[in-house]
Amino acid sequence: MNLQEIRKDYKQKELTEDNLNNDPFKQFELWLDEAIKGKLHDATAMSLATVSSDGFPNSRIVLLKDFNEQGFTFFTNYNSQKGKDLENNQKVNLLFFWPGLERQIRIWGHANKTSSEISKKYFHSRPVLSQIAASVSEQSQEISSREYLESKFEELQKQLDGKNPKYSSHWGGYIVNPIRFEFWQGRENRLHDRLCYEKTSDDKWNIKRLSP
């Protein structure tokens, strides 16, 4: 296998200042809507990058569950590695990659916990078995075996007998308030379009083009 010979040219679309919305949230909504309507696989999946206390970056895929002009929301176990990272450093980066549209969006911002009401409401909106899985998983902690995890799941499922598990405060949401967006559109001959929004001191957005 020669990885250097694997190439793809991008020819689908273009991103110009003329077809860019002045509001980055509206531009994001346009692209997300196109990805969903195009039935792209896991269109709401995003890479979340945090930094651990020892200075190493950590990235993983999480699912976007809400967004508005306050920010982008995802849910997790607060005792997980990402939760521990965010206790020490709220600065994060989000990455959406839609190869079917030859697009990606990077978002820089600060992550804060959502209210317990929002977290609890979303927790109980999930399928019951997903709620049970979240309840028994000590996310990011070492466990002895797969069988140990499955036995905890089955034990709680039996105890609940079809009922929802109680919501625990160790599980909940984060909302990422952006300070910068970068919209990337693949273009022919690697002359990609990169348009960036940066938040100013008066809460407006400055738009600039970056070289690919």
Side-chain angles (χ1 to χ4, degrees):
M1 184 187 300
N2 187 346
L3 299 181
Q4 296 180 15
E5 293 182 355
I6 299 175
R7 290 184 178 85
K8 176 186 175 183
D9 212 358
Y10 303 109
K11 300 181 179 181
Q12 286 194 43
K13 299 176 184 292
E14 62 181 27
L15 180 64
T16 68
E17 288 79 357
D18 291 336
N19 64 22
L20 188 77
N21 197 294
N22 289 329
D23 184 333
F25 293 98
K26 291 181 180 178
Q27 183 63 41
F28 175 85
E29 185 174 15
L30 287 170
W31 276 21
L32 178 63
D33 186 60
E34 204 168 330
I36 293 172
K37 287 182 177 177
K39 300 186 185 301
L40 298 190
H41 184 63
D42 285 337
T44 60
M46 59 186 184
S47 172
L48 166 70
T50 58
V51 179
S52 63
S53 58
D54 58 9
F56 277 93
N58 288 309
S59 60
R60 76 288 283 167
I61 300 297
V62 298
L63 297 178
L64 177 68
K65 290 301 178 182
D66 191 22
F67 78 94
N68 52 41
E69 291 191 354
Q70 279 67 55
F72 298 81
T73 300
F74 65 94
F75 294 87
T76 189
N77 187 315
Y78 290 142
N79 296 327
S80 65
Q81 181 63 56
K82 67 180 82 65
K84 292 177 180 177
D85 289 352
L86 291 171
E87 281 185 15
N88 296 315
N89 187 344
Q90 293 176 305
K91 296 177 181 178
V92 302
N93 183 263
L94 305 176
L95 170 65
F96 292 85
F97 180 48
W98 298 307
L101 295 171
E102 300 173 353
R103 287 174 174 168
Q104 69 177 15
I105 303 174
R106 290 196 291 167
I107 302 170
W108 291 257
H110 300 87
N112 293 284
K113 289 180 179 178
T114 61
S115 67
S116 58
E117 290 79 11
I118 289 175
S119 296
K120 185 176 182 179
K121 182 179 179 180
Y122 175 70
F123 181 82
H124 286 306
S125 75
R126 306 173 82 204
V128 173
L129 296 183
S130 295
Q131 294 180 45
I132 294 173
S135 298
V136 301
S137 173
E138 298 175 16
Q139 194 176 120
S140 301
Q141 302 303 309
E142 183 179 357
I143 57 176
S144 58
S145 65
R146 172 76 188 187
E147 289 73 22
Y148 166 78
L149 183 62
E150 291 178 347
S151 66
K152 287 185 65 178
F153 180 91
E154 292 168 1
E155 181 181 351
L156 182 56
Q157 185 181 13
K158 185 176 180 180
Q159 289 176 6
L160 292 169
D161 192 24
K163 298 178 182 177
N164 289 343
K166 291 183 179 179
Y167 169 73
S168 174
S169 60
H170 75 266
W171 194 96
Y174 287 96
I175 184 167
V176 177
N177 181 252
I179 61 169
R180 181 181 180 187
F181 292 77
E182 184 189 304
F183 291 80
W184 179 96
Q185 177 68 62
R187 294 293 299 276
E188 196 170 5
N189 301 317
R190 295 297 187 268
L191 292 176
H192 310 306
D193 289 322
R194 294 175 64 192
L195 289 173
C196 182
Y197 299 75
E198 290 187 339
K199 201 169 191 178
T200 64
S201 57
D202 56 354
D203 287 334
K204 295 181 180 179
W205 294 99
N206 180 43
I207 301 174
K208 59 185 179 182
R209 176 176 285 271
L210 304 179
S211 174

